[in-house]
Amino acid sequence: MLVRSVSAQADNLGLSNGYISFSTSDFNVKLVKNSQTLASISTKANPAFDFSPFDVLSQRAANGNYHLGDIALRYRIANGAWTNINSATARKPVLSLNKNGFVAASNLSPTISKSPLNITRQWGTDGRDVTLSFTVQNSGTSPIEIGALGFPIEFNSIFTSRTAEDTQSKCSLTDPNIGLAGGYLRVTPLEGAGASLVVTPLEGTVFEGWRFLPENTNTPLAYQSQVFEGFYSWEVHTLAYAEREWSATTPWNPPTSKTLAAGESVTYGLRFSLSKDVRSIEDTVKRTNTPLAIGVPGYIVHGDSTAQLHLFHNSTVSSITSDPVGAFQFDLISQGYKLTPSPSAWGRVRVDISYANGATQSVSYFITKSGPQQLADLGNFLCTAQYYTDTSDPFHRAPSIITYDRSVNNYVLQDPRVWIAGLSDEGGAGSWLAAAMKQAAQPNAGEVSKLEDFIHQTVLGTLQPPNSSAVRKSVFFYQPDATTFQYSSNIDWSGWPSWNIANAFATDRAYDYVHVSAAYWSLYRVARFYPDLVHQASWEWYIAQSYNTVMFAMGTNAQGQPNAGYSELGLMGETVWGYLLEDLKLENLTTEANLLEARMKQRAEAWSTQTVPYGSEMAWDSTGQEGVYYWTNYFGLTDAADKTIDSVLGYMPTVSHWGWNGNARRYWDFLYGGKLERIERQIHHYGSGLNSLPLLEHFQQNPSDIYALRVGYGGNSGPMSNIDQEGFAAAAFHSWPDTLAWDAYSGDFGPNFLGHVLGAGTYVIDDAELGILAFGGSVTSDADLVTVVPTESVRRKVYLAMFGTQIVVEAGNIDLVKYSEKSRAISVRIVSKIASVPTMARATNTILKIKKMAQVGSLGTPVVTSQGVVSERGGWLVDLSSGTATVNIAFQ
């Protein structure tokens, strides 16, 4: 529980003196009269929804509370020390000015410290959009260097003391595209439906950095907490921060400054525009003549694949380069460039596009190894460096794949958050869950053997109590009188996370059951399709264990109370239960399938009646949507499923930056699973992989919704960036510019990777503007014949949007797909393993499944036309004993 002391709030902002109001064709706007900072910006079409936190403004009226319209900058004279100017620190009423062409203007001299800079602020409108600008003039006699200049950004992401319904209907979320002249902000309603706000730079202004704004945390609104992440600043210049607070990092963009000669002035500004919905945000960016970049398949690029960068601007490109130099080869294509990674490139890469009008746009990429090689590296690291074998461990954690600290390259055997060292919760189960899901995607004999040892020697009887399907919250605990373990005296064990035996061994957290059931399911899949790899139990045993674990979590005790709390909520990773249900049916385990299906239907029907069915352990979360979508969609509860897609799109953006593209909003889990503990926007935490699943499924059922594909594929690619060159996978990336690094703990990577494995695939579309595109593959055309080569990590699923058809193999891999829209013919080449991964096990046969996901035109039912292929387990049995097979498909 978060405990804070609370200080009283003052009205330094001057709310009691009233407001300045004006309107445009799209907006109603209020400025605080004394400060001329933004108080309210709502739409004409829906004035009840305010993008600003006007309803709690009286609780944010003290000195030190930032508002839109404030300014924070640093300057120096003759290479001296940097001096701060901040309009929010000690407020005084500003001097109102009458300036032609503006609805409000002021001189800020009363509310900033005395300096040789004269700063005026202007609010304007062109009749539709709203503009905010600052003019900074050197009123001294010597040149002045401006090393930092920021626009504090305040929109209503304050969840404090709100009901779930109020939070969903009143709040909005802000996501940045830190792209210099191509930078912008997306401000989307939390419910994902309705109009969005877009903030773009006025000419001459760039988006160089995104800086967290420290404020007093001891206030009723609980700034910088789970209910109120805090606010950030759009930084135009960042050199002063780069020389001090950010000196240990490489910023997203090169730090700059601006030197003003005596008497010289410079103006920077932002434009506020309305987008009719989230899918129209990029069209709104184009309307403002801001350079726009759209990457296909996104901005995380495997080393053995290529990417496309499509550019939209009213000026021609004069140059395109990368940093590091040579990281990409650029080849001109229609509406942009093809990017081919250098064989030696890995990690962060910035692409700079310069235009003839003088503007420079940046796009941030991350280059990885090939997808299959990443999976091989991950499995190897988990089952060697992270494989814990000390059988003298008093907590009986050996053998196991245990949490790892990359900063010291060692196991995490104790942590005051006991679950991290206790093989449970997301923070402690993450590594072994990733190892299990890796085997489901790319089995390796040695790794499967170690995973079986973990299941039979550690999960059974330790993580799960003897002869029980329950799951403990942690097998590590803090109780010195109950063990000979030497607890570190350097750790503070006095907090609530340092559970004793009773609390650690409790089995009342439903989230924990998903991980265990997924591990059993993964080994069931290996045993079913690679039977020579599994030796300690049969596939029948593994699927039964998975089922029993799920049903215990969903069941009640003798008193009729739930076995596990949170069982009525959407649980992270429970899409795997949908796969389990399908497998139960295919194995003719009808009784079990019916019971599981009935329990899931009960939950789904309850969700369909709730306004906000996305509850969790937190006040607001982005974890429940995955499970809610899966089951409401499965049972045909369309309104609830569609509402959930809107919800996901409200907190999951697409922008031209690898870190934020497909990055589901999460900012508190470094407290629960990271080594560097702080409230901070996390990049590619498990929300990315998990929330990609509903979006990718939704797209396949609605193949014209390419926006959902772009966001979903971005999220599904996210977990690939977490894996380093040796195979260690971090929980998430620290986005604050003073860090910009992966957290040292492996933490809760496992659910992220689960989402990646279940959603991985090659998604092929024919875009009206850009032509045939493959997300997760390469595509070439020869007249009417199109050839698709999967390049993503798993290579078992191809979706052809022009046919609305999904093609999946249960073992082996899809090597190539050819199709003709004219003849409506498809051929699939399947191989027994990925040739580039020598450690991957070979499949001797596979099941090919062809599923019509959406009706496209008059297409009939897809069927296999190849001879000698027989129907089995909901698909077609394909012999891979020769190493390869080609199967032909037609529509009847």
Side-chain angles (χ1 to χ4, degrees):
M1 178 180 291
L2 183 67
V3 179
R4 297 173 182 269
S5 61
V6 175
S7 59
Q9 286 286 289
D11 183 18
N12 303 119
L13 200 58
L15 301 181
S16 60
N17 202 32
Y19 304 94
I20 300 168
S21 299
F22 66 94
S23 62
T24 75
S25 60
D26 283 343
F27 295 112
N28 297 313
V29 181
K30 286 183 180 180
L31 308 178
V32 179
K33 184 179 293 184
N34 276 20
S35 65
Q36 288 197 17
T37 53
L38 184 68
S40 169
I41 182 166
S42 60
T43 68
K44 282 288 189 67
N46 183 17
F49 181 82
D50 201 326
F51 287 103
S52 293
F54 184 67
D55 62 341
V56 293
L57 187 59
S58 62
Q59 298 180 71
R60 288 192 46 76
N63 287 334
N65 294 147
Y66 288 96
H67 303 279
L68 236 169
D70 277 320
I71 188 171
L73 62 79
R74 286 178 178 175
Y75 73 92
R76 66 183 174 191
I77 300 173
N79 292 318
W82 294 109
T83 299
N84 291 313
I85 290 179
N86 191 319
S87 63
T89 301
R91 294 191 185 278
K92 303 289 185 191
V94 296
L95 299 177
S96 182
L97 303 173
N98 291 317
K99 295 188 74 171
N100 290 335
F102 297 101
V103 294
S106 58
N107 186 284
L108 271 59
S109 56
T111 196
I112 59 177
S113 53
K114 185 176 181 180
S115 80
L117 293 174
N118 183 48
I119 303 174
T120 58
R121 175 180 52 213
Q122 301 81 220
W123 289 94
T125 177
D126 60 3
R128 181 179 184 181
D129 297 342
V130 175
T131 62
L132 162 67
S133 60
F134 289 98
T135 299
V136 182
Q137 182 184 37
N138 179 357
S139 58
T141 59
S142 302
I144 296 176
E145 183 181 10
I146 299 174
L149 189 146
F151 291 78
I153 302 296
E154 179 196 37
F155 293 116
N156 193 5
S157 57
I158 304 172
F159 308 153
T160 316
S161 300
R162 300 186 193 273
T163 64
E165 291 75 15
D166 281 348
T167 299
Q168 192 81 350
S169 64
K170 292 182 178 180
C171 293
S172 54
L173 303 177
T174 303
D175 286 293
N177 185 42
I178 311 167
L180 298 180
Y184 60 93
L185 297 175
R186 307 160 34 104
V187 188
T188 56
L190 188 58
E191 61 187 6
S196 294
L197 184 64
V198 180
V199 185
T200 53
L202 296 179
E203 186 174 356
T205 302
V206 299
F207 195 170
E208 188 170 288
W210 186 236
R211 181 176 67 91
F212 183 77
L213 295 168
E215 285 194 15
N216 180 10
T217 59
N218 298 319
T219 68
L221 292 178
Y223 191 86
Q224 201 178 355
S225 71
Q226 199 278 327
V227 292
F228 185 2
E229 176 188 357
F231 295 128
Y232 293 77
S233 176
W234 173 312
E235 297 294 330
V236 179
H237 297 296
T238 60
L239 180 64
Y241 297 118
E243 289 187 353
R244 291 169 57 176
E245 296 94 333
W246 308 351
S247 61
T249 70
T250 300
W252 298 121
N253 294 298
T256 67
S257 64
K258 172 69 176 179
T259 299
L260 298 177
E264 186 181 3
S265 64
V266 65
T267 299
Y268 299 113
L270 304 178
R271 176 188 297 271
F272 304 84
S273 307
L274 194 66
S275 171
K276 66 179 181 179
D277 53 38
V278 295
R279 291 174 173 84
S280 303
I281 285 174
E282 290 166 333
D283 290 335
T284 304
V285 173
K286 291 180 188 178
R287 177 175 70 77
T288 66
N289 293 322
T290 302
L292 177 71
I294 294 179
V296 176
Y299 309 93
I300 296 172
V301 182
H302 293 310
D304 63 342
S305 62
T306 62
Q308 296 180 20
L309 181 61
H310 299 279
L311 302 174
F312 304 87
H313 191 36
N314 58 0
S315 181
T316 58
V317 174
S318 58
S319 69
I320 181 168
T321 59
S322 67
D323 184 10
V325 174
F328 282 118
Q329 174 183 313
F330 300 99
D331 295 298
L332 198 62
I333 59 173
S334 176
Q335 199 65 50
Y337 294 85
K338 181 176 77 171
L339 281 58
T340 304
S342 162
S344 62
W346 185 89
R348 286 172 49 189
V349 176
R350 191 186 69 254
V351 171
D352 293 324
I353 306 105
S354 296
Y355 293 92
N357 65 1
T360 297
Q361 172 186 21
S362 69
V363 177
S364 290
Y365 280 91
F366 197 101
I367 298 175
T368 73
K369 294 183 180 182
S370 76
Q373 188 59 52
Q374 285 189 281
L375 265 59
D377 290 348
L378 173 67
N380 180 66
F381 196 94
L382 289 167
C383 292
T384 54
Q386 291 189 238
Y387 197 66
Y388 182 58
T389 59
D390 184 1
T391 54
S392 67
D393 177 59
F395 304 101
H396 306 291
R397 292 174 290 184
S400 68
I401 299 101
I402 202 165
T403 303
Y404 199 77
D405 183 347
R406 190 59 157 150
S407 67
V408 296
N409 282 322
N410 211 342
Y411 311 119
V412 178
L413 297 180
Q414 54 181 318
D415 189 284
R417 300 156 295 176
V418 294
W419 55 85
I420 290 178
L423 300 176
S424 198
D425 192 280
E426 293 70 58
S431 293
W432 59 256
L433 175 59
M437 293 306 300
K438 189 271 178 184
Q439 305 316 311
Q442 190 192 96
N444 170 293
E447 294 165 8
V448 170
S449 177
K450 289 182 175 181
L451 192 62
E452 279 204 284
D453 286 344
F454 166 64
I455 290 290
H456 291 274
Q457 298 177 44
T458 304
V459 173
L460 295 177
T462 300
L463 184 55
Q464 293 191 284
N467 303 311
S468 173
S469 294
V471 178
R472 288 170 171 160
K473 291 164 66 175
S474 175
V475 304
F476 176 70
F477 52 81
Y478 179 72
Q479 191 166 328
D481 63 359
T483 178
T484 60
F485 183 78
Q486 296 299 305
Y487 294 102
S488 173
S489 60
N490 296 321
I491 293 175
D492 179 3
W493 299 99
S494 63
W496 71 264
S498 299
W499 295 331
N500 61 15
I501 293 177
N503 289 325
F505 280 15
T507 59
D508 57 358
R509 186 176 184 268
Y511 297 99
D512 302 333
Y513 289 72
V514 180
H515 318 321
V516 176
S517 62
Y520 285 131
W521 174 83
S522 296
L523 281 173
Y524 151 73
R525 280 293 183 108
V526 176
R528 197 67 171 91
F529 297 107
Y530 299 85
D532 292 343
L533 301 187
V534 176
H535 303 291
Q536 299 189 38
S538 65
W539 67 259
E540 292 93 342
W541 186 87
Y542 282 115
I543 196 172
Q545 287 293 108
S546 184
Y547 167 79
N548 290 334
T549 301
V550 176
M551 295 309 291
F552 187 93
M554 293 292 110
T556 57
N557 61 22
Q559 290 73 44
Q561 298 300 311
N563 287 334
Y566 310 110
S567 59
E568 303 311 304
L569 305 179
L571 305 174
M572 290 89 81
E574 72 167 281
T575 296
V576 76
W577 292 355
Y579 283 71
L580 171 63
L581 175 58
E582 181 182 2
D583 287 327
L584 289 169
K585 291 180 177 181
L586 294 174
E587 301 292 4
N588 294 316
L589 296 169
T590 306
T591 300
E592 291 85 350
N594 288 344
L595 289 171
L596 177 57
E597 190 170 58
R599 184 66 177 92
M600 296 303 113
K601 187 175 183 180
Q602 182 184 40
R603 298 165 77 223
E605 288 178 341
W607 294 330
S608 71
T609 67
Q610 298 168 12
T611 303
V612 186
Y614 316 120
S616 87
E617 296 167 297
M618 303 297 170
W620 176 87
D621 215 331
S622 55
T623 55
Q625 286 81 350
E626 172 229 338
V628 170
Y629 175 81
Y630 187 90
W631 295 114
T632 56
N633 180 60
Y634 179 89
F635 291 110
L637 302 169
T638 306
D639 289 346
D642 289 347
K643 179 174 70 175
T644 303
I645 293 299
D646 287 340
S647 175
V648 174
L649 292 178
Y651 57 72
M652 197 166 178
T654 179
V655 293
S656 54
H657 192 297
W658 71 269
W660 273 270
N661 187 55
N663 185 43
R665 184 184 181 94
R666 302 196 62 73
Y667 54 86
W668 58 88
D669 268 333
F670 283 136
L671 299 182
Y672 303 104
K675 183 168 186 177
L676 176 56
E677 301 175 50
R678 64 188 184 195
I679 294 287
E680 171 188 15
R681 184 69 62 88
Q682 298 172 279
I683 286 180
H684 295 313
H685 189 243
Y686 59 63
S688 296
L690 293 179
N691 282 281
S692 74
L693 297 176
L695 294 181
L696 292 172
E697 182 72 13
H698 167 81
F699 163 71
Q700 291 176 88
Q701 296 176 16
N702 301 270
S704 63
D705 193 354
I706 297 173
Y707 181 87
L709 169 63
R710 290 175 52 211
V711 180
Y713 195 87
N716 194 259
S717 301
M720 293 293 92
S721 64
N722 299 51
I723 303 170
D724 73 15
Q725 288 174 288
E726 294 181 355
F728 169 79
F733 188 89
H734 290 273
S735 69
W736 282 8
D738 66 349
T739 306
L740 293 183
W742 295 102
D743 193 80
Y745 273 10
S746 55
D748 43 20
F749 174 74
N752 205 6
F753 188 64
L754 179 148
H756 173 77
V757 168
L758 298 185
T762 301
Y763 301 85
V764 185
I765 63 171
D766 193 348
D767 182 78
E769 185 175 16
L770 302 176
I772 299 175
L773 304 172
F775 287 69
S778 66
V779 59
T780 56
S781 300
D782 182 6
D784 184 52
L785 185 64
V786 178
T787 300
V788 179
V789 178
T791 59
E792 43 82 28
S793 65
V794 178
R795 303 184 185 182
R796 286 183 177 168
K797 175 166 56 184
V798 173
Y799 176 76
L800 302 176
M802 58 289 303
F803 299 122
T805 297
Q806 180 194 86
I807 302 165
V808 173
V809 295
E810 302 280 25
N813 304 92
I814 298 175
D815 187 53
L816 181 144
V817 173
K818 293 185 178 182
Y819 70 86
S820 166
E821 285 194 69
K822 184 177 181 180
S823 66
R824 298 181 174 182
I826 304 170
S827 69
V828 183
R829 189 169 74 199
I830 307 169
V831 293
S832 60
K833 59 166 289 184
I834 297 173
S836 63
V837 184
T839 57
M840 182 178 181
R842 292 183 180 275
T844 57
N845 58 64
T846 190
I847 302 294
L848 171 67
K849 294 182 177 179
I850 306 163
K851 185 176 182 181
K852 190 175 180 180
M853 303 288 289
Q855 181 63 49
V856 177
S858 59
L859 283 173
T861 302
V863 296
V864 168
T865 59
S866 300
Q867 297 298 312
V869 180
V870 298
S871 176
E872 185 171 317
R873 294 187 76 252
W876 284 267
L877 181 64
V878 179
D879 181 14
L880 295 176
S881 59
S882 67
T884 184
T886 298
V887 179
N888 297 318
I889 302 166
F891 291 86
Q892 291 183 344

